[in-house]
Amino acid sequence: MDRLTSMAVFVKAVDLGSFAAAAEALGLSGPMVGKHVRSLEDRLGVQLINRTTRRHSLTEFGHVYYERCRVVLAEAQAADALASDRRSEPRGKLRVTMPVHLGRHCVTPVLLELARKYPALELDLSFNDRIIDLAEDGFDLSIRTGPLGDRAGLIGRRVARQPMIVCASPSYLESNGHPETPEDLAQHSAVVYRRSGPVPHWLFPRQGQSPVGVMPFHRFRLDDLDAIADAAIRGMGLAWLPYWLVRGRIETGTLVRLLPEHPPFLYECHAVWLQTPHLPRKVRVAVDALAAQLPSFMTLK
C-alpha cells in the first residue's frame, strides 16, 4: 500500500477515535482502514494501536509516530499546493509600496504590464518615501533603495542597480567651472537629498577599495528628487541623482552630466517581502518581472 495514504488513514483514525469513523469520513470500508494501519505496523515492525473489543488506543510509539505523520502530511500538502500555485495564473490583490519617483517612473510600468498580462491580478500601489512596516500596513511587497538595514522577518532580492551621477545646469557651470575629479566637488555648492538623519555622502567607487564619500557645501536640503533636479536646473548647485531621473533633462541640455570618466556609484534597489514558507504566486511573479525589466530603466546611454 502507498505509505502516505496509509499515514493519512492512520491519522484520520486517531483524530476521529475509531476505524469506523475514519472509514465513513474517507469513503472506505472498516476492514480497509484496518489494513492500512496494519501495513504501517508491518513496515515499521512496531505496534501503533492497541486493539481491544471495546476500544482502540495508541501505543507509546504510536503517539510519537502520529505526531510525525501529521508533520509529513502537512509538508506533502504544502508541496502539492506549491506545484499547483506554479501552474496557476497570479490572481488577487497585490499591494506594493515604493519610493515616489522610482515607483512612478520605473516600477509602475513593469507592474502595469504584468497586470495587462494577467487579468485576474489586481494592483494596489502606494507611493511613499518612508520605510513601511509590511506586516503592520498589510503590504505584500516593498521596493527599497540603498542598504536594507534590519531584515528580521524579511526576505530581500536585488532587482536593479541605479547609476548615480553628478549633474549641473549650463549656467552654474559657466559661472563656477567644471569639476574634474570627485575631490573637486568639495569646492562647489550642491543641492542635496535629506529625508531624515544626516545628509548622505555622495559616493564614488574605487577599484578594489570601499567607495569614497564626498560632501559638497550645501545650503539646500530637499526630500524630493524631482525638486532637487529642478533646483539644479535653476543653477542652485550640483546634484547627485539617479540617471534614470535626469536622463531626459540631460538629453535636452537643461542639465549636464559631470565626471563622465569616473564610473558611477551603483545604488541598489531591492524587492522586499515578509518571510513565509509559501510565497504567493502573485508576489513571486512580480519580483521576477521587476528583476528582469527594471535594469533596462537604469542603464547609462
Side-chain angles (χ1 to χ4, degrees):
M1 290 184 173
D2 177 71
R3 188 187 309 183
L4 278 179
T5 301
S6 295
M7 285 181 175
V9 172
F10 167 64
V11 168
K12 183 66 72 174
V14 174
D15 288 343
L16 298 182
S18 72
F19 285 5
E24 183 176 355
L26 296 171
L28 302 173
S29 66
M32 181 57 70
V33 172
K35 285 183 179 181
H36 278 289
V37 175
R38 284 193 299 274
S39 173
L40 290 176
E41 291 175 330
D42 292 343
R43 182 189 297 273
L44 297 167
V46 180
Q47 188 171 355
L48 298 173
I49 295 179
N50 293 313
R51 302 168 180 80
T52 68
T53 55
R54 293 189 175 183
R55 59 189 295 269
H56 292 166
S57 63
L58 285 172
T59 64
E60 182 178 355
F61 178 78
H63 278 287
V64 176
Y65 189 71
Y66 165 75
E67 294 298 335
R68 295 305 302 170
C69 283
R70 291 182 61 190
V71 172
V72 169
L73 292 170
E75 288 296 323
Q77 290 171 353
D80 287 348
L82 181 63
S84 176
D85 184 56
R86 281 189 175 277
R87 292 193 301 269
S88 65
E89 272 198 7
R91 62 182 59 250
K93 183 187 297 183
L94 177 68
R95 298 199 70 212
V96 187
T97 175
M98 64 195 82
V100 175
H101 297 297
L102 175 68
R104 183 184 304 155
H105 292 280
C106 304
V107 177
T108 297
V110 175
L111 295 182
L112 290 177
E113 187 58 35
L114 194 68
R116 188 196 306 275
K117 182 178 180 181
Y118 298 111
L121 183 65
E122 304 174 32
L123 296 180
D124 189 339
L125 308 182
S126 175
F127 302 85
N128 198 314
D129 288 335
R130 293 186 300 107
I131 300 298
I132 301 296
D133 187 309
L134 295 181
E136 183 176 329
D137 294 300
F139 283 97
D140 300 297
L141 191 62
S142 174
I143 308 303
R144 297 183 183 176
T145 59
L148 286 182
D150 182 16
R151 293 179 54 183
L154 299 174
I155 301 295
R157 176 182 173 186
R158 190 180 72 202
V159 291
R161 289 170 138 185
Q162 309 175 78
M164 302 293 295
I165 66 162
V166 180
C167 55
S169 69
S171 63
Y172 176 89
L173 296 172
E174 184 177 341
S175 300
N176 298 277
H178 286 65
E180 301 295 336
T181 69
E183 290 74 20
D184 291 346
L185 300 178
Q187 310 304 317
H188 287 263
S189 298
V191 185
V192 299
Y193 179 81
R194 180 179 177 276
R195 181 173 55 202
S196 60
V199 175
H201 281 66
W202 296 4
L203 300 175
F204 298 88
R206 293 183 296 177
Q207 187 69 33
Q209 301 181 60
S210 298
V212 60
V214 176
M215 179 47 60
F217 169 77
H218 52 274
R219 289 192 297 133
F220 308 108
R221 294 169 290 277
L222 290 68
D223 70 354
D224 184 281
L225 297 179
D226 241 353
I228 292 174
D230 289 343
I233 289 173
R234 290 176 176 269
M236 306 308 292
L238 309 180
W240 188 60
L241 292 167
Y243 180 70
W244 56 261
L245 183 74
V246 293
R247 179 189 290 116
R249 295 169 170 96
I250 290 173
E251 290 173 350
T252 59
T254 55
L255 286 175
V256 177
R257 180 188 173 189
L258 304 176
L259 309 180
E261 301 304 319
H262 293 264
F265 181 77
L266 299 177
Y267 215 63
E268 295 194 338
C269 177
H270 294 87
V272 180
W273 60 91
L274 291 171
Q275 190 170 10
T276 175
H278 177 53
L279 186 64
R281 169 82 166 153
K282 61 185 179 181
V283 177
R284 185 186 307 111
V285 167
V287 172
D288 288 344
L290 290 168
Q293 298 177 47
L294 271 189
S296 65
F297 288 84
M298 311 296 180
T299 55
L300 284 169
K301 296 179 181 178

